[in-house]
Amino acid sequence: MAEKLKELKEKLAYKSPHVWDKLDEDEKKAVETISNDYKDFISSSKTERESAENICQLLKARGFHPESDTRFFRVFRNKCVAAIVAGRKPVYEGVRLIASHIDSPRLDLKLHPLLEEEEMAYFKTHYYGGIKKYHWVALPLALHGVVIKNDGRTVKISLGEEANDPVFTVCDLLPHLARKVQGEKKLSEAIPAEKLNVLVGGYPLPDSEEKDRVKLAVLKLLHDHYGLVEEDFISAELELVPAGPARDVGFDRAFIGAYGHDDRICAFTSLAAILNLEAPPYTAIAIFLDKEEIGSDGNTGAKSRLLEKIYYDILKTLGVTVAPDTVLEMFYRTKAISADVTAGIDPFYAEVHEKLNDARMGHGVVVTKYTGHGGKYGANDAHAEYVGWIRRILNRAEVVWQAASFGKVDEGGGGTVAKYLAYHGMDIIDMGPPLLSMHSPFEIAHKADLYMTYRAYKAFFEAEE
Ligand code: MN
Ligand code: MN
């Protein structure tokens, strides 16, 4: 009887295996190889601009060329990239699109950032995206970004990543004096945004009667090194991000800890998938978007008409005559993945998770039918037919995947670019690896999930049906 029940369970019940139980030794080596490549990528891709630049470099190195009509790419405002591989079938029969985002939560400099208090110089900041402000105090920060000078020249800055570079930091109050001003407040109010000021200097200029001698000394250094004057900050995009490279985590090195897994882990794995693509059945697009973390607004975000521009551009490049409804038809026949991370179950915060329906670390790429919050509000909610198709191609390619949603109903929620791309008429579903500590300065991904995410995206691009 016991045998019979076991047999029945085997036949009927759903089981989500651990990726590690499904891999042979060669595949386990492949996990380590792609993890190392990814660590290199994410350690040098600290901003959307740096990510876009690195993506373009990797595309060029693998034979993608802006002038080609089979493997080509486009860059938009230095913050968005679209990589395209022409398919064997005519492009109007359908497109396979994977959309990720390359912006991450961080501290942006204000327009007038520099000030001096108590003979110390500080940068004032405005945080970007959903951060827990207490994460951003008392840790080493690096400064990345660009400054557009009055004469139009661009000055690039990346300071704080090399071993000998100085770093920057937001100071926190010592516990001895923090009992009332922080300890008695709600966590979300203990560190107000206007206290996220970054320490940038402490030597005063000598022999000066001037006020603000430390601030002036910092301005002089910035002028000597980068040719900057204070007004240049107004036309700059300078971001403070956690300093230092991605690291292996755990005795067994099963995890990667890094800033910006959300969503550069999906950017990297979808890039790897399209880099390795040769003559796919359908035209494949990997698009790397900006501004997801602040609602996908702006002309580099998923809410813009950028995607239409890309589709017209592809038609032109492939020499297809465009009728008034060609692009609309193409959108309608597009199958898409919103490549984004999701929350992995944190065993010590079980109260926010729904264990049957949330994602497990190490159990593979996560297929998320709907995101949104309370009553599926703001969700794309992929159609069952499309989920069925996705399920079939993943199973056929022997990808280890799991289906999950995002915490308990009414606990919170979140969104991705899925609903903005669905607006164009395409079928789209969320798919990506689970993370721990998402939106923190040190997010955690499981290497086996990284590998399966890559395998899933590749299977999607290569699917014949
Ligand atoms: Mn994301
Ligand atoms: Mn996010």
Side-chain angles (χ1 to χ4, degrees):
M1 191 64 193
E3 265 315 291
K4 269 233 165 93
L5 282 182
K6 208 177 156 204
E7 219 174 83
L8 206 59
K9 194 174 173 191
E10 197 74 25
K11 197 173 148 195
L12 299 181
Y14 174 78
K15 201 168 65 217
S16 159
H18 198 289
V19 174
W20 219 236
D21 292 327
K22 291 285 179 184
L23 300 184
D24 60 26
E25 287 312 307
D26 282 349
E27 279 183 302
K28 286 180 180 172
K29 276 191 201 126
V31 171
E32 206 46 36
T33 305
I34 193 170
S35 295
N36 286 334
D37 291 346
Y38 172 57
K39 281 186 284 176
D40 286 345
F41 173 81
I42 194 167
S43 299
S44 62
S45 304
K46 293 290 187 92
T47 66
E48 61 281 37
R49 286 174 192 267
E50 289 177 2
S51 305
E53 219 175 294
N54 288 334
I55 287 166
C56 290
Q57 254 179 32
L58 290 164
L59 285 165
K60 278 185 213 154
R62 294 295 286 275
F64 283 72
H65 194 277
E67 303 302 321
S68 160
D69 60 1
T70 49
R71 293 160 76 80
F72 51 103
F73 66 96
R74 299 286 183 270
V75 186
F76 306 95
R77 317 239 183 241
N78 302 318
K79 295 175 175 182
C80 273
V81 183
I84 298 106
V85 178
R88 302 194 305 270
K89 298 176 199 263
V91 66
Y92 45 81
E93 279 190 26
V95 166
R96 302 290 180 257
L97 170 76
I98 301 185
S100 60
H101 67 91
I102 50 178
D103 62 317
S104 293
R106 61 187 188 241
L107 303 180
D108 284 343
L109 292 200
K110 287 194 181 188
L111 299 176
H112 303 286
L114 191 57
L115 86 162
E116 176 171 335
E117 289 291 345
E118 295 297 331
E119 294 174 302
M120 291 178 282
Y122 293 90
F123 276 159
K124 292 198 71 79
T125 65
H126 191 146
Y127 65 97
Y128 172 98
I131 64 165
K132 287 159 102 176
K133 298 181 191 84
Y134 72 86
H135 280 158
W136 289 80
V137 298
L139 84 160
L141 298 171
L143 185 68
H144 290 250
V146 296
V147 183
I148 310 301
K149 300 269 302 160
N150 198 41
D151 62 8
R153 274 185 308 124
T154 301
V155 179
K156 278 190 196 172
I157 294 178
S158 168
L159 190 60
E161 302 294 350
E162 301 301 323
N164 285 327
D165 280 355
V167 294
F168 309 92
T169 194
V170 178
C171 295
D172 196 10
L173 194 56
L174 64 169
H176 317 62
L177 296 177
R179 196 169 301 161
K180 280 190 205 146
V181 75
Q182 291 181 332
E184 289 175 10
K185 287 188 180 145
K186 289 204 297 191
L187 193 59
S188 58
E189 289 162 5
I191 313 252
E194 289 294 350
K195 289 195 200 288
L196 292 177
N197 300 321
V198 181
L199 185 62
V200 298
Y203 285 141
L205 274 183
D207 307 322
S208 170
E209 294 298 302
E210 282 292 313
K211 257 182 66 202
D212 289 350
R213 291 187 300 146
V214 178
K215 174 183 165 178
L216 210 56
V218 167
L219 276 176
K220 186 171 181 308
L221 274 174
L222 289 172
H223 190 261
D224 293 347
H225 280 263
Y226 302 106
L228 302 188
V229 297
E230 196 169 10
E231 193 181 286
D232 290 331
F233 284 116
I234 296 170
S235 52
E237 284 177 354
L238 291 168
E239 309 176 8
L240 285 144
V241 299
R247 303 288 297 266
D248 284 342
V249 174
F251 288 114
D252 59 1
R253 299 174 178 265
F255 303 94
I256 300 171
Y259 161 69
H261 281 320
D262 178 6
D263 184 33
R264 291 168 192 146
I265 194 167
C266 295
F268 177 80
T269 42
S270 57
L271 175 69
I274 205 162
L275 285 179
N276 292 326
L277 209 57
E278 294 288 344
Y282 294 91
T283 294
I285 308 174
I287 180 172
F288 309 92
L289 290 158
D290 180 32
K291 298 286 189 283
E292 194 276 344
E293 295 295 356
I294 55 170
S296 293
D297 290 299
N299 66 1
T300 50
K303 269 186 205 167
S304 74
R305 297 179 70 180
L306 189 62
L307 206 60
E308 274 171 80
K309 181 174 162 51
I310 292 167
Y311 273 46
Y312 275 108
D313 195 23
I314 291 172
L315 289 165
K316 264 192 275 176
T317 305
L318 299 180
V320 177
T321 320
V322 182
D325 66 344
T326 308
V327 168
L328 205 60
E329 271 304 315
M330 268 174 73
F331 273 134
Y332 202 76
R333 295 180 188 198
T334 294
K335 287 186 162 75
I337 289 175
S338 159
D340 211 338
V341 297
T342 189
I345 292 179
D346 184 327
F348 305 111
Y349 290 93
E351 63 270 37
V352 302
H353 293 295
E354 202 270 80
K355 279 181 107 168
L356 188 62
N357 281 287
D358 279 7
R360 293 203 150 70
M361 301 297 287
H363 283 238
V365 65
V366 185
V367 174
T368 304
K369 186 177 183 296
Y370 51 86
T371 55
H373 58 272
K376 297 194 177 180
Y377 196 87
N380 158 60
D381 207 357
H383 302 296
E385 290 85 346
Y386 189 50
V387 185
W389 180 83
I390 286 282
R391 179 185 156 200
R392 191 159 63 246
I393 61 148
L394 293 181
N395 283 340
R396 191 176 295 150
E398 296 183 344
V399 173
V400 180
W401 61 280
Q402 48 183 328
S405 43
F406 200 93
K408 279 184 177 158
V409 181
D410 285 345
E411 191 67 48
T416 62
V417 299
K419 63 174 175 177
Y420 306 116
L421 297 188
Y423 162 83
H424 296 285
M426 64 187 67
D427 266 321
I428 186 162
I429 191 164
D430 280 290
M431 203 193 292
L435 298 184
L436 298 175
S437 286
M438 195 204 287
H439 278 213
S440 83
F442 196 65
E443 302 180 308
I444 301 296
H446 197 296
K447 287 180 181 176
D449 298 329
L450 161 76
Y451 174 68
M452 279 303 161
T453 301
Y454 160 70
R455 291 266 317 274
Y457 294 163
K458 193 154 177 286
F460 171 81
F461 278 145
E462 287 172 345
E464 293 285 342
E465 53 172 309

PDB file of all heavy atoms in Angstrom, residues 178-187 189-190:
ATOM      1  N   ALA A 178      21.421  57.870  20.694  1.00  0.00           N
ATOM      2  CA  ALA A 178      20.358  57.612  19.715  1.00  0.00           C
ATOM      3  C   ALA A 178      19.063  57.109  20.342  1.00  0.00           C
ATOM      4  O   ALA A 178      18.087  56.868  19.636  1.00  0.00           O
ATOM      5  CB  ALA A 178      20.843  56.605  18.672  1.00  0.00           C
ATOM      6  N   ARG A 179      19.049  56.959  21.664  1.00  0.00           N
ATOM      7  CA  ARG A 179      17.919  56.292  22.292  1.00  0.00           C
ATOM      8  C   ARG A 179      16.590  56.958  21.924  1.00  0.00           C
ATOM      9  O   ARG A 179      15.664  56.302  21.496  1.00  0.00           O
ATOM     10  CB  ARG A 179      18.112  56.259  23.810  1.00  0.00           C
ATOM     11  CG  ARG A 179      17.207  55.266  24.494  1.00  0.00           C
ATOM     12  CD  ARG A 179      17.591  55.062  25.940  1.00  0.00           C
ATOM     13  NE  ARG A 179      18.960  54.576  26.068  1.00  0.00           N
ATOM     14  CZ  ARG A 179      19.667  54.654  27.183  1.00  0.00           C
ATOM     15  NH1 ARG A 179      19.152  55.202  28.254  1.00  0.00           N
ATOM     16  NH2 ARG A 179      20.897  54.189  27.239  1.00  0.00           N
ATOM     17  N   LYS A 180      16.527  58.295  22.056  1.00  0.00           N
ATOM     18  CA  LYS A 180      15.252  58.978  21.776  1.00  0.00           C
ATOM     19  C   LYS A 180      15.103  59.318  20.302  1.00  0.00           C
ATOM     20  O   LYS A 180      14.095  59.024  19.671  1.00  0.00           O
ATOM     21  CB  LYS A 180      15.162  60.259  22.601  1.00  0.00           C
ATOM     22  CG  LYS A 180      14.756  60.000  24.035  1.00  0.00           C
ATOM     23  CD  LYS A 180      14.450  61.297  24.754  1.00  0.00           C
ATOM     24  CE  LYS A 180      14.655  61.116  26.244  1.00  0.00           C
ATOM     25  NZ  LYS A 180      15.157  62.324  26.877  1.00  0.00           N
ATOM     26  N   VAL A 181      16.161  59.958  19.750  1.00  0.00           N
ATOM     27  CA  VAL A 181      16.031  60.544  18.424  1.00  0.00           C
ATOM     28  C   VAL A 181      15.858  59.468  17.335  1.00  0.00           C
ATOM     29  O   VAL A 181      15.250  59.710  16.309  1.00  0.00           O
ATOM     30  CB  VAL A 181      17.204  61.507  18.133  1.00  0.00           C
ATOM     31  CG1 VAL A 181      18.496  60.766  17.820  1.00  0.00           C
ATOM     32  CG2 VAL A 181      16.852  62.478  17.027  1.00  0.00           C
ATOM     33  N   GLN A 182      16.370  58.246  17.601  1.00  0.00           N
ATOM     34  CA  GLN A 182      16.145  57.155  16.648  1.00  0.00           C
ATOM     35  C   GLN A 182      15.373  55.998  17.279  1.00  0.00           C
ATOM     36  O   GLN A 182      14.402  55.510  16.717  1.00  0.00           O
ATOM     37  CB  GLN A 182      17.492  56.616  16.125  1.00  0.00           C
ATOM     38  CG  GLN A 182      18.234  57.593  15.222  1.00  0.00           C
ATOM     39  CD  GLN A 182      19.541  57.012  14.701  1.00  0.00           C
ATOM     40  OE1 GLN A 182      20.155  56.164  15.334  1.00  0.00           O
ATOM     41  NE2 GLN A 182      19.965  57.487  13.547  1.00  0.00           N
ATOM     42  N   GLY A 183      15.827  55.575  18.456  1.00  0.00           N
ATOM     43  CA  GLY A 183      15.328  54.337  19.058  1.00  0.00           C
ATOM     44  C   GLY A 183      13.843  54.316  19.342  1.00  0.00           C
ATOM     45  O   GLY A 183      13.206  53.268  19.291  1.00  0.00           O
ATOM     46  N   GLU A 184      13.264  55.471  19.614  1.00  0.00           N
ATOM     47  CA  GLU A 184      11.840  55.499  19.943  1.00  0.00           C
ATOM     48  C   GLU A 184      10.957  55.755  18.726  1.00  0.00           C
ATOM     49  O   GLU A 184       9.744  55.880  18.845  1.00  0.00           O
ATOM     50  CB  GLU A 184      11.592  56.569  21.026  1.00  0.00           C
ATOM     51  CG  GLU A 184      12.149  56.131  22.373  1.00  0.00           C
ATOM     52  CD  GLU A 184      12.051  57.199  23.448  1.00  0.00           C
ATOM     53  OE1 GLU A 184      11.383  58.223  23.213  1.00  0.00           O
ATOM     54  OE2 GLU A 184      12.656  56.996  24.516  1.00  0.00           O
ATOM     55  N   LYS A 185      11.595  55.857  17.552  1.00  0.00           N
ATOM     56  CA  LYS A 185      10.809  56.110  16.329  1.00  0.00           C
ATOM     57  C   LYS A 185      10.536  54.823  15.572  1.00  0.00           C
ATOM     58  O   LYS A 185      11.179  53.805  15.803  1.00  0.00           O
ATOM     59  CB  LYS A 185      11.584  57.067  15.429  1.00  0.00           C
ATOM     60  CG  LYS A 185      11.585  58.486  15.946  1.00  0.00           C
ATOM     61  CD  LYS A 185      12.180  59.428  14.944  1.00  0.00           C
ATOM     62  CE  LYS A 185      12.167  60.842  15.497  1.00  0.00           C
ATOM     63  NZ  LYS A 185      13.342  61.592  15.077  1.00  0.00           N
ATOM     64  N   LYS A 186       9.608  54.923  14.637  1.00  0.00           N
ATOM     65  CA  LYS A 186       9.385  53.814  13.721  1.00  0.00           C
ATOM     66  C   LYS A 186      10.634  53.662  12.858  1.00  0.00           C
ATOM     67  O   LYS A 186      11.289  54.653  12.522  1.00  0.00           O
ATOM     68  CB  LYS A 186       8.195  54.107  12.798  1.00  0.00           C
ATOM     69  CG  LYS A 186       6.857  54.072  13.494  1.00  0.00           C
ATOM     70  CD  LYS A 186       5.724  53.783  12.498  1.00  0.00           C
ATOM     71  CE  LYS A 186       5.593  54.870  11.453  1.00  0.00           C
ATOM     72  NZ  LYS A 186       4.381  54.784  10.645  1.00  0.00           N
ATOM     73  N   LEU A 187      10.920  52.421  12.453  1.00  0.00           N
ATOM     74  CA  LEU A 187      12.091  52.143  11.626  1.00  0.00           C
ATOM     75  C   LEU A 187      12.128  53.044  10.395  1.00  0.00           C
ATOM     76  O   LEU A 187      13.179  53.562  10.009  1.00  0.00           O
ATOM     77  CB  LEU A 187      12.061  50.675  11.213  1.00  0.00           C
ATOM     78  CG  LEU A 187      13.321  50.073  10.590  1.00  0.00           C
ATOM     79  CD1 LEU A 187      14.508  50.180  11.526  1.00  0.00           C
ATOM     80  CD2 LEU A 187      13.079  48.612  10.243  1.00  0.00           C
ATOM     81  N   GLU A 189      11.087  55.949  10.053  1.00  0.00           N
ATOM     82  CA  GLU A 189      11.260  57.376  10.340  1.00  0.00           C
ATOM     83  C   GLU A 189      12.557  57.678  11.087  1.00  0.00           C
ATOM     84  O   GLU A 189      12.909  58.842  11.282  1.00  0.00           O
ATOM     85  CB  GLU A 189      10.069  57.879  11.169  1.00  0.00           C
ATOM     86  CG  GLU A 189       8.785  57.945  10.358  1.00  0.00           C
ATOM     87  CD  GLU A 189       7.533  58.021  11.228  1.00  0.00           C
ATOM     88  OE1 GLU A 189       7.665  58.112  12.468  1.00  0.00           O
ATOM     89  OE2 GLU A 189       6.430  57.958  10.652  1.00  0.00           O
ATOM     90  N   ALA A 190      13.259  56.633  11.500  1.00  0.00           N
ATOM     91  CA  ALA A 190      14.445  56.830  12.350  1.00  0.00           C
ATOM     92  C   ALA A 190      15.565  57.572  11.620  1.00  0.00           C
ATOM     93  O   ALA A 190      16.309  58.333  12.224  1.00  0.00           O
ATOM     94  CB  ALA A 190      14.948  55.489  12.863  1.00  0.00           C
TER      95      ALA A 190
END
